[in-house]
Amino acid sequence: QVQLVESGGGLVQVGDSLRLSCVASGRTFSDYGMGWFRRAPGKEREFVATITRAGMRTRYSDSVQGRFTISRDNAKNTVYLQMDSLKFEDTAVYYCAAGIYSTNSADYAFWGQGTQVTVSS
């Protein structure tokens, strides 16, 4: 089992930046590819970013490419999502997940409880 706890969400304005953190406990963190997903009001959960176990490769959704950066610190059992140039449409609950390096939510076995990000215009 892996327990994941996200933090760093909040209320920001368009154009602001925010950094989300997700701390893992339980099994060996570096055994897992990590991902960030989000669910906006009235929408399905969608892929945001993923990173390999050692952090050597990343992949992003088209909607956040160039604005968001995923990274990880295996010594701290933490994965981050740096979000810059935030847009109103980035408003969502953001979830981190542990699994394999993938854009598909079905490839992630463990999920955090989510952290709310609200971008005001």
Side-chain angles (χ1 to χ4, degrees):
Q1 283 283 67
V2 176
Q3 293 77 44
L4 302 170
V5 179
E6 302 98 334
S7 63
L11 174 62
V12 296
Q13 294 188 326
V14 169
D16 284 352
S17 296
L18 206 57
R19 189 176 82 156
L20 305 183
S21 299
C22 173
V23 179
S25 61
R27 300 182 68 176
T28 305
F29 179 66
S30 58
D31 283 348
Y32 296 92
M34 297 297 296
W36 285 97
F37 292 77
R38 67 186 182 187
R39 187 191 301 272
K43 295 187 177 181
E44 306 229 337
R45 182 172 57 191
E46 66 171 354
F47 164 76
V48 175
T50 184
I51 189 167
T52 53
R53 291 179 295 174
M56 299 301 288
R57 286 188 294 162
T58 59
R59 188 171 176 181
Y60 301 90
S61 68
D62 290 343
S63 61
V64 307
Q65 178 75 49
R67 299 188 299 118
F68 289 12
T69 303
I70 187 173
S71 61
R72 67 189 295 163
D73 184 340
N74 286 346
K76 295 183 178 179
N77 290 350
T78 303
V79 61
Y80 305 97
L81 185 67
Q82 176 66 41
M83 304 186 294
D84 297 321
S85 302
L86 281 162
K87 302 177 179 180
F88 177 75
E89 51 265 38
D90 293 321
T91 296
V93 178
Y94 284 72
Y95 300 89
C96 74
I100 65 172
Y101 177 66
S102 172
T103 64
N104 188 340
S105 62
D107 291 325
Y108 293 85
F110 305 104
W111 293 80
Q113 83 290 346
T115 186
Q116 176 71 49
V117 172
T118 302
V119 185
S120 64
S121 57

